[in-house]
Each structure stands twice: as C-alpha cells, then as structure tokens.
Amino acid sequence: MQLRYAFRIEPGPGQRIALNQAFGCARVVWNDCLRARRDARAAGLPYPKSAELSKRFITEAKQTPQRAWLGEVSAVVLQQSLRDLDTAYSNFFGSIKGTRKGPKIGEPRMKTKRDNRQAVRFTANARWSITADGKLNLPKIGPVQVRWSRVLPSVPSTVTVIKDSSGRYWASFLVESDPAAEILPPTEGDQGIDLGLTHFAVMADGSRIKSPRFLRRAEKKLRREQRRLSRKAKGSNNRDKQRVKVARAHAKVADARKDFHHKLSTKLIRENQAVSVETLSVKGLARTRLAKSVHDAGWSTFVNMLEYKAARYGRTLTKVDQAFPSSQVCSACGRRDGPKQLHIRAWTCDRCGTRLISRQDLVLGT
C-alpha cells in the first residue's frame, strides 16, 4: 500500500530561488512537450513518443543558447515533468473512452507561473536524502529544514516539493506500507451518520456534532482582505503582497476544515466496525441558495476520508442511496408503513411496537 505524508518545509532565501528555478524549468519542459503534441495533432500526425520528446526538449535543448539554463536544475525534475504529462494524457484518453473511473478529465493545458500550485518531484535517481539532523537534502538546492510531525513508516521512494498559492512550501513523501500492519483490531461498534448544515453530523445513537462553519466565521476577514486587494494597482508589488494575504486567509480556513474532517473521520473509523452514511447530491445542493454553506461543510471530502480510511484500517463503510426510505422502515422488524409528514419526528411501529425516532435522511438500522 502506498501512502503519502506531507510536511511543511522552510527553505532559505537562496533555496527559494533555486526551487522557483526548478519549478520554472519543469514548467517549460511540460509546455514544450505539450505544444509539440498539439502541433502534431493539428497536422494529422501521430503523437510523438516520450523518448523523442525527452531527446528533443531536454537533452538537445540544454545544448542550445535558448534553453541552456535547463542544465542548472536536476535532470530528474525535467524527466518527471514529462512523465506527468504522459500520465495526464493517459487519464484524458481513459476519461474519453470510459475506462477511467471518476469525473471527466479534460485535455492537459499549458502551465504558467501564476498557477496556484507549483511542484517538482525527485525520485531515488536524484539522490536526495534525509540528513542525520532531519533536513531534506535536495540536489542543486541543498539541505532544507523540515517540520516533522510524525515518523515515516518506511524509507520514502519519492519526494514532491510543492509551493501553494499562499507561498508555503511542502514536502510530500511517498512510502510503502504493509497493508496487514494497518488493520485495526475488530470492534462491535456500528454507527449511522446523518450529515447536515446546522449539525454537521447526527449519529444513530443520538449524539450530535455541531457544524464548525469555518468559512462563515472567517467571512468578515476574507471580505476585508479582498477589498484591500481590489484597491491595489494591477501589476504592482503591493497587489502581489495582498494577493498572498488573501490566499493565506483562505488557506487557514481550508486547513481548519481539513483538520476537523480528519479528526472526526479517524475517530469514527477507530471506534466502529461499520459506518453507514447517505450519499448526498452535493452538485444539486450547490445550485441552491445554500450553496456557500454546503461548500463550507465539505461533505464530499469527509465521506471520501471515511472511504479510504475504512479500506485502510479494515472497516466497513456503507453508502446508502439518498432515495432509500429510511424514515418509513422499522429498524427492528423491517416493516414499511409509508411516508410521513415533516412534523412527525417519532412514532411506534404497528407490528413490533418499537419506538422510532425520525431524523431527516438519517440512516437507522442499516
């Protein structure tokens, strides 16, 4: 099983220049190869192979005055950029043919230095290492300080250095993990979850978790920072500085939401052998007046966390169809007694006499 662990890194001023140069070189190789494939398609020719592109836009390009600066960064970074382009095309063609699961993916696009995310990847061939004092030693960049928050379970095979829109740098390590070692001991817990807006989650046992509403609480500050950005002259240094402040304010909200989702999903998976959750039409709800609150809740991200953590730790996650009539079916005997008006929140089953409590779209006894 392959796992990713991301940690904040703190490169020095010179190292930031070197990283930005690596981002730029990887971006140029991507754009050159993408342009060559687009030109071949427009001319009715077959797509050039990766080996041909590597020779033309990496090996031979370094010998030209226009692209001589490509030799100032690690060659692995350039090769991995070309490999990422191959993967993007494979996903694109798989999406068209229907062989790839998940949402539709468009054709690869050109990259710019204004993209929200810049990244370069170093494989084992790049000879990067973790020093004895815990620093990440990268080729042609040097040892970079890492904020370690946990110990890696095994030796990483690759490391991806990422710069996000708020100017923060991250190191994402890819490690191999033994699936058998990840399985948690069995437990008798069984939980049903109803996701909502007033309460983020209402459990089948009656407990409730209030919605944090991270975006709503930060709206005042976000509006203030956005107004300041709109008043800055386009192209000025002050506007660029304010853009980073806006990005950091949004990143703070996103990080808080992600931390909340991780802690709650981990708690549910560890304490319960089986978890049931209803599938929600987030796209449909996002077109209503509740769109901002729906996106602020982040239901899809939370359910995805439950799904991969259940598979990782040996738990069972059941996704119940939103059309399932949970408020019409007795959880004890299974008798279906028909639809009920919204004001009816509790009733007694006519067949077995079980006292039932109805919550909107709550999965009980499934």
Side-chain angles (χ1 to χ4, degrees):
M1 178 185 296
Q2 290 186 334
L3 302 175
R4 280 202 173 274
Y5 292 84
F7 305 92
R8 283 282 301 275
I9 59 175
E10 299 175 346
Q15 293 174 334
R16 294 190 179 190
I17 295 175
L19 283 173
N20 289 335
Q21 186 179 14
F23 295 146
C25 291
R27 189 170 58 244
V28 166
V29 170
W30 169 287
N31 291 341
D32 287 345
C33 297
L34 177 58
R35 189 179 298 108
R37 286 182 170 172
R38 286 183 176 179
D39 293 342
R41 179 185 179 184
L45 301 174
Y47 280 112
K49 302 296 184 182
S50 298
E52 178 184 347
L53 295 176
S54 177
K55 179 181 178 182
R56 178 181 173 186
F57 295 108
I58 298 179
T59 305
E60 295 180 353
K62 292 180 182 179
Q63 311 303 322
T64 63
Q66 296 82 5
R67 293 285 193 266
W69 34 265
L70 290 176
E72 298 178 7
V73 302
S74 173
V76 174
V77 168
L78 309 181
Q79 293 290 344
Q80 291 301 310
S81 181
L82 177 56
R83 181 170 295 182
D84 289 341
L85 179 61
D86 291 338
T87 303
Y89 264 108
S90 298
N91 292 336
F92 169 60
F93 291 132
S95 181
I96 293 177
K97 297 177 182 178
T99 57
R100 183 185 183 275
K101 296 181 180 180
K104 294 290 185 180
I105 294 180
E107 185 179 2
R109 63 172 182 82
M110 293 289 183
K111 293 185 177 181
T112 71
K113 63 180 180 181
R114 296 178 180 84
D115 288 339
N116 292 333
R117 183 181 184 274
Q118 304 287 338
V120 290
R121 185 166 63 254
F122 299 87
T123 62
N125 295 333
R127 297 182 180 179
W128 62 272
S129 62
I130 300 177
T131 62
D133 56 350
K135 292 184 178 181
L136 176 62
N137 191 17
L138 299 173
K140 298 190 178 183
I141 295 175
V144 183
Q145 188 69 39
V146 183
R147 295 186 186 178
W148 298 104
S149 58
R150 65 178 67 186
V151 179
L152 295 175
S154 62
V155 178
S157 58
T158 64
V159 59
T160 304
V161 180
I162 304 168
K163 180 183 179 182
D164 61 18
S165 59
S166 60
R168 300 178 299 178
Y169 292 84
W170 302 83
S172 177
F173 297 92
L174 182 64
V175 300
E176 290 288 343
S177 177
D178 183 12
E182 299 286 337
I183 303 299
L184 293 175
T187 181
E188 296 181 357
D190 189 357
Q191 192 66 273
I193 308 173
D194 173 30
L195 300 178
L197 296 178
T198 303
H199 293 89
F200 179 80
V202 180
M203 308 301 176
D205 58 7
S207 60
R208 303 187 178 192
I209 299 176
K210 191 175 181 180
S211 180
R213 299 184 178 181
F214 297 106
L215 180 62
R216 293 292 188 181
R217 292 189 301 177
E219 273 187 316
K220 184 177 180 180
K221 180 179 180 180
L222 292 174
R223 282 197 298 265
R224 181 173 65 248
E225 297 296 344
Q226 190 65 45
R227 282 197 300 266
R228 292 175 180 173
L229 176 63
S230 65
R231 294 168 183 156
K232 306 297 181 184
K234 292 185 178 181
S236 65
N237 290 333
N238 286 336
R239 183 179 177 86
D240 189 59
K241 292 178 182 178
Q242 184 61 30
R243 181 198 61 78
V244 174
K245 289 183 179 180
V246 173
R248 288 178 177 174
H250 280 284
K252 186 175 181 180
V253 174
D255 290 345
R257 184 187 299 112
K258 185 178 180 180
D259 180 71
F260 169 75
H261 287 164
H262 269 299
K263 289 180 178 178
L264 179 58
S265 59
T266 300
K267 181 176 183 294
L268 290 171
I269 292 298
R270 288 186 179 277
E271 295 179 355
N272 299 280
Q273 185 65 34
V275 178
S276 300
V277 63
E278 181 193 15
T279 57
L280 299 171
S281 178
V282 177
K283 288 185 178 180
L285 293 171
R287 291 192 292 266
T288 67
R289 60 184 180 85
L290 300 174
K292 185 179 290 187
S293 297
V294 170
H295 288 304
D296 188 17
W299 295 327
S300 296
T301 302
F302 176 71
V303 173
N304 289 338
M305 287 184 181
L306 285 175
E307 187 172 11
Y308 84 77
K309 289 181 181 180
R312 177 181 176 183
Y313 295 117
R315 302 306 200 203
T316 301
L317 176 67
T318 303
K319 292 184 178 180
V320 181
D321 190 358
Q322 58 185 340
F324 178 75
S326 57
S327 60
Q328 304 178 25
V329 179
C330 176
S331 60
C333 65
R335 180 179 182 274
R336 181 172 178 176
D337 54 2
K340 301 173 181 62
Q341 297 182 2
L342 291 177
H343 71 276
I344 300 178
R345 312 306 294 170
W347 73 97
T348 302
C349 177
D350 296 337
R351 175 185 295 177
C352 64
T354 303
R355 181 67 174 172
L356 302 171
I357 301 175
S358 173
R359 301 183 185 93
Q360 184 179 3
D361 299 328
L362 177 62
V363 179
L364 289 175
T366 59

